[in-house]
Amino acid sequence: MILWNLFVAFLIPATIGYGGGPASIPLVQHEVVNRYKWMTNEQFGEMLAMANTLPGPIATKMAGYVGYTTSGWLGAFIAIIATVAPSLLLMLLLMSFLAKFKNAPQVKRLTGYIRPVICILLLTMTLQFFTEGATGSGWIHTIVLIVSSYFFLEIKKLHPAIVILGALLYGGIFLS
């Protein structure tokens, strides 16, 4: 039953997570944390931070990790297949359709209408992580990490993986 639940848990975000991997993160969080309770929100945040330091699509890394921790290698395989299969099948089936209508105003409007919803999903998850970070690490450390992350990401244009590694180092030094 858990393998079926893993398949469903990652099939749903992969099917309705329009906008790429980041858009599917809140959907995966809902399935993994809220629905099936395979991990806490804090564990999910830690997994997400570690997954962002590694190369490759975020959704498959999350699927592999959650699948493995819940059911071993078979669970990882099932979760990754559930994550990859919908996009792969839709791309194969709809490639000619998308190529024909990609500049149509209706398709562009559709994309424009979906973006605010994705923004709210990511904002909600961000607020949850911010609240838990401030509660667990304290307001000063949380503000230092937010300001320094913004500085290094937006002003210095460092790669996100480097900033995440820096935050992990900061946490290892100051929060242990």
Side-chain angles (χ1 to χ4, degrees):
M1 186 65 179
I2 193 164
L3 293 176
W4 174 251
N5 290 342
L6 271 171
F7 184 78
V8 171
F10 284 95
L11 181 69
I12 291 171
T15 304
I16 63 173
Y18 183 85
S24 68
I25 292 171
L27 301 170
V28 171
Q29 179 199 28
H30 174 77
E31 297 294 324
V32 170
V33 174
N34 300 335
R35 185 172 180 194
Y36 292 108
K37 304 189 184 323
W38 288 320
M39 58 179 51
T40 65
N41 206 34
E42 183 179 350
Q43 291 169 324
F44 185 85
E46 292 169 357
M47 174 199 62
L48 185 60
M50 289 303 294
N52 273 319
T53 63
L54 302 172
I58 187 71
T60 53
K61 291 182 280 186
M62 291 189 303
Y65 180 81
V66 173
Y68 182 78
T69 57
T70 58
S71 299
W73 289 110
L74 183 59
F77 178 76
I78 297 282
I80 290 172
I81 290 296
T83 300
V84 174
S87 297
L88 179 63
L89 293 175
L90 283 174
M91 282 298 292
L92 293 174
L93 293 173
L94 301 175
M95 190 58 122
S96 63
F97 179 80
L98 289 174
K100 185 175 181 180
F101 295 106
K102 71 179 182 184
N103 293 325
Q106 296 87 355
V107 173
K108 288 185 176 188
R109 250 192 328 263
L110 175 72
T111 303
Y113 290 146
I114 290 174
R115 286 185 179 152
V117 175
I118 293 169
C119 178
I120 292 300
L121 288 170
L122 291 172
L123 182 62
T124 301
M125 188 178 71
T126 301
L127 289 173
Q128 287 175 350
F129 287 164
F130 175 77
T131 303
E132 290 176 9
T135 302
S137 305
W139 285 99
I140 293 174
H141 290 298
T142 301
I143 290 171
V144 166
L145 288 169
I146 288 172
V147 170
S148 61
S149 295
Y150 180 82
F151 174 78
F152 287 118
L153 287 170
E154 295 300 320
I155 296 172
K156 291 296 183 181
K157 305 293 184 194
L158 286 182
H159 190 277
I162 295 170
V163 176
I164 291 169
L165 287 173
L168 289 171
L169 182 64
Y170 178 92
I173 293 170
F174 292 106
L175 302 176
S176 58

